[in-house]
Amino acid sequence: MPLVDSSGETYPFAEVTLLDSETGTPIETPVYLEPIGGAPQTWPILVDPAVVDLWIDTPARVTLQALLPGGASFTRAGVDISPAPAATVRSVKPLHIGSAEGLNSDAMLAVSPDGSAVWQVLNVLKDHRHAGDAPDSTSLGMTDLQDIYPGQTWLGGDISGVQGTGATALGFQAHPNGNGATAIGRAATADEDGIAVGPASAAYVSAVGLGAGVAATKAEQVALGRSASGAAGPNSAVVLGAGVAAEAATDIKAKGVHLLTDGSVVLGNGLLPDLSWVGAPYTAILGSAVVPRYFAARNAVSLAGPVNPLGFFGGAGDYRPIVDVSGITAATVGRDALMSLMAALNDLGMIYATQGAIDDELADLTKATGSTNMSFDTGDADGSKAGDTTRIKRNAVAPGTVTYFRATGIRDFLARVFTWYQPWNPDNHEAEITAHVSPDNVTWTPVKLTWRPLVATAADWYQSWISNTRPIPAGMKYVRLTLDVNSLPWTPQVGRILVRTYPLRNLVLNPTLGTGITNTSYHGYNLTRAYDTTQGFSGTTSIKLTNGSTQSGGPSWTIQPVANQQTVQLGIYAKLPTTGFSAGQIVWRSGTTVLKTQAITPPTTGAWTRFTGSYTLAAGETCDNVAIAFTPTAANLSWNADASLAAVGDTLPAFFDGTSTGGAWEGAVHASVSRLV
C-alpha cells in the first residue's frame, strides 16, 4: 500500500504501526518484511519510501497508522492482511479475468506449483443443483437426473433405481433401490438399508455384500469375497471367502468352516458324507482342516460308523472330550488310523485319553492309596450333581484328602467337582480344593490348579473340571487332593478323578516283524535271518535265526536313539530248542559298538521266554539298536525271536506295540515307535 500526498507523489518515508482493530493497541502477531519470514519487526516500522509492504503468519483485520514527514499522520481502518500464498505466479502479459456473469465470493483462483491457475467453485456439493433436486441432495455426473427423495448422493453416470431417502450411489450404472441403500461400484445394486460394494455386487434389504460379483440376495445376509453368494442360504446367513456359496441349512459358511443351523460344525473342505445316522449336533472333520487346540464339548461323538467302540464324552463343564479307546480291538475297521489319530489328538491336548490311567468314579476308595476325613455322598434326586451318583466329601469341618500312586510317574490329573454357594456362603471354590505331588509320599510340592468356568446344575450347585495348570515335575509318583476351607463339610464334592502316567513308548521299530525283517540286522556271528510267518509270541510272525557255526550270534533291532544318560529297559522274547545252546546275552549297542552286554541263560522248555535287563547310558553314549544272541553247541541250529521292547524309565512294561489294545503307531505301521494311548 503506497502512501501518497495530495499530488499523488509517494511520501519519502513513514513510520508505520498496525493496531488491533478492536483495542487500538499495536498487534502482538510477529510482522515480517518478506513473505518467507525472518526476524520479526518492532513498532513503529520505518518504510522508505512510504510503501507499506508487511507480512504476518495468520490473516488479520487491522487499523493502519502512519507518521509522515512534517508531522502529518495517516490512519485507515479495516485493512485485511492475508498470509503468503504457496506460490506466486506472474504473467508476462496483462491478464484479464472475467466472464459474462462476473465472479462472486463462491469462486477462488487455485494456483499450482507449476504456475498454472484455474478458477474453481467453492461449496460445490452444497450449492450444486439441478432442476427437481430434493433438499440436501447432491448429484454429479448426470444433469438429467430428477431427485425426488431428500438426502440422496449420486456420483456417476447412468445411475438408476427406485431411489429413496438417504440413498447413495457411486459408480457408473449403480442402482440404489430404497431408503438408506448404498451402491458403490459399476452396476452395484442395493435395496433398502443394504450395502453393496464392488462391481456387479448385490445386497438385498439390510444385507451387506463386499466384493466383485458378490451376492447377498436375502434379508440381513452378509457375503464377503469375490463372487461369494448367499443365494441358496437362509436369511441372515454369513458367507466368507472368494467363490463360497451358502447352503440351504447353513448359517455361516466359510472356506473350510460350516456352522449349520442345528449346531453342527464342519471343518475343512471336501464332500460331506451322509451323517443322518449320527444325529445332531455333530462335528465333521474333512480334508485340509487345521483343528484348533480344544474341541467344543459334545455329549457324544462317533467316528468311523454307526456302531463304533470309540466314544467321546464331554458333558456340560468339560473342556475336552474324555476318550476311552479300550474297545478298539485288532478287528476294528481302520484301527491303526483311529489309534494314531487318538494319540495325536491326545498329545495336542484336544482329547483326554484314559488308556492306562486311574479312572476313579468314586463308588469306593479302592483305587486310592490313602484318604483322611472322607466319606461318600450318593444319589442325585434333584439333578444338582448332573447325574453323578457317587461322590466323595468330607466327614467333618477339617481337611479331607485322597491320594493316588503311579509307579511310572504322574503325568497329569483331572477331576470333576461340585460346589454349592449362596450369598451367605460365598463363592470361594478355587480355595477349597488344593493339590500336591510327591516322589515318595513324604515330601509334598503344591500344584497350581486350573478351574474350568462353573456351570450351574440345580439347587444352587455348580460343576466344573479341575486339572494341573503346569506340567508336573519329573519323578513325582503321588498326587493328593485336599478339600478344606468351607465351613460346610458337604461342599465341595468330587465326582470323578483321573490320574495319568506318562505314555509308555516302545522305541523298537518293527518289534513283531510285521513288515518282514526290515529294521533288523545281526549281532556277533553273521547268521542267516529269515522271515517266519508260522509262529510268534505276539501274532504269527517272528524272525528265524540259523547259525552256521558254533559262534555266538543273534538279531538286532533298530530303536529310536536314546542319549543323555537315560536308562534303557530291554525285553526280548526268544524260543529255542530244548537242547543245543550253551550261553546267551542281551546287548545295548551304538551302531555295531557294544555299550553293554548282559548274560542270559538259554531256555530249555521249548517255549517263548522273555529276557530282560536295563542299562543306564554313560555321558556321551547313544543307544540306537538292541540285540539278543545265543551260542550253539553245533552248527546249523535254528531258533526264533520276537516281541522286542525298549523303553526309557525305571521299570520295564509288559510287551506292547501299535497293535496292542490301546496301542498306536507314532508313524508308519510296524515301522515306527509305538505307544499306549
Side-chain angles (χ1 to χ4, degrees), residues 365-384:
L365 287 175
T366 57
K367 296 180 179 181
T369 59
S371 62
T372 58
N373 194 30
M374 285 293 192
S375 62
F376 292 95
D377 196 1
T378 60
D380 186 29
D382 59 2
S384 62

Side-chain angles (χ1 to χ4, degrees), residues 395-633:
N395 279 321
V397 182
T401 66
V402 60
T403 304
Y404 295 89
F405 170 72
R406 301 295 287 164
T408 54
I410 304 293
R411 176 187 181 186
D412 55 29
F413 58 88
L414 181 67
R416 186 187 193 187
V417 299
F418 301 91
T419 182
W420 181 88
Y421 68 87
Q422 285 187 330
W424 55 271
N425 179 59
D427 174 21
N428 58 354
H429 59 279
E430 293 194 14
E432 294 175 353
I433 300 181
T434 56
H436 293 75
V437 292
S438 171
D440 53 11
N441 205 22
V442 176
T443 302
W444 294 91
T445 301
V447 174
K448 182 176 176 56
L449 294 176
T450 292
W451 286 73
R452 303 306 300 169
L454 293 181
V455 176
T457 53
D460 297 320
W461 281 88
Y462 294 78
Q463 71 165 323
S464 179
W465 289 83
I466 61 173
S467 60
N468 51 293
T469 301
R470 298 182 179 88
I472 293 175
M476 299 298 167
K477 299 181 179 181
Y478 296 83
V479 60
R480 183 179 67 197
L481 295 183
T482 301
L483 281 59
D484 198 5
V485 177
N486 201 296
S487 60
L488 305 173
W490 40 266
T491 182
Q493 298 186 9
V494 181
R496 184 180 183 184
I497 298 175
L498 299 102
V499 181
R500 298 195 302 184
T501 186
Y502 289 97
L504 295 177
R505 302 175 76 228
N506 184 354
L507 305 182
V508 176
L509 310 186
N510 196 18
T512 57
L513 293 308
T515 54
I517 61 173
T518 59
N519 288 303
T520 69
S521 182
Y522 67 91
H523 170 71
Y525 176 73
N526 189 1
L527 69 181
T528 301
R529 293 174 294 121
Y531 188 41
D532 190 339
T533 59
T534 65
Q535 62 177 320
F537 172 78
S538 177
T540 59
T541 58
S542 60
I543 186 170
K544 183 175 182 179
L545 299 314
T546 302
N547 198 326
S549 73
T550 58
Q551 301 180 59
S552 175
S556 72
W557 273 269
T558 300
I559 71 170
Q560 185 180 80
V562 180
N564 299 326
Q565 298 177 281
Q566 298 184 82
T567 299
V568 181
Q569 302 286 341
L570 178 59
I572 302 176
Y573 280 86
K575 183 179 180 182
L576 280 68
T578 55
T579 60
F581 292 86
S582 61
Q585 57 187 220
I586 54 175
V587 187
W588 293 256
R589 307 198 312 171
S590 176
T592 58
T593 301
V594 174
L595 303 176
K596 165 74 173 180
T597 297
Q598 179 177 312
I600 56 177
T601 301
T604 58
T605 61
W608 287 101
T609 304
R610 192 185 199 196
F611 298 93
T612 64
S614 67
Y615 174 60
T616 300
L617 300 172
E621 287 185 338
T622 298
C623 179
D624 58 19
N625 68 104
V626 294
I628 186 171
F630 290 99
T631 303
T633 58

Side-chain angles (χ1 to χ4, degrees), residues 48-69:
D48 182 13
V51 177
V52 182
D53 191 9
L54 306 176
W55 303 82
I56 65 175
D57 293 326
T58 57
R61 174 163 289 183
V62 300
T63 297
L64 172 63
Q65 187 179 75
L67 182 62
L68 303 171

Side-chain angles (χ1 to χ4, degrees), residues 56 84 140 274 288 328 355 426 438 506 561 563 632 653 657:
I56 65 175
L140 293 179
D274 177 16
S288 304
I328 303 179
Q355 181 69 23
S438 171
N506 184 354
D657 68 358

Side-chain angles (χ1 to χ4, degrees), residues 4-52:
V4 299
D5 59 18
S6 58
S7 64
E9 294 294 326
T10 302
Y11 284 104
F13 68 88
E15 292 183 347
V16 177
T17 304
L18 300 182
L19 306 177
D20 187 290
S21 59
E22 295 182 358
T23 65
T25 59
I27 65 173
E28 297 179 356
T29 304
V31 177
Y32 310 96
L33 298 181
E34 295 292 338
I36 59 173
Q41 304 298 305
T42 58
W43 307 115
I45 297 175
L46 178 65
V47 293
D48 182 13
V51 177
V52 182

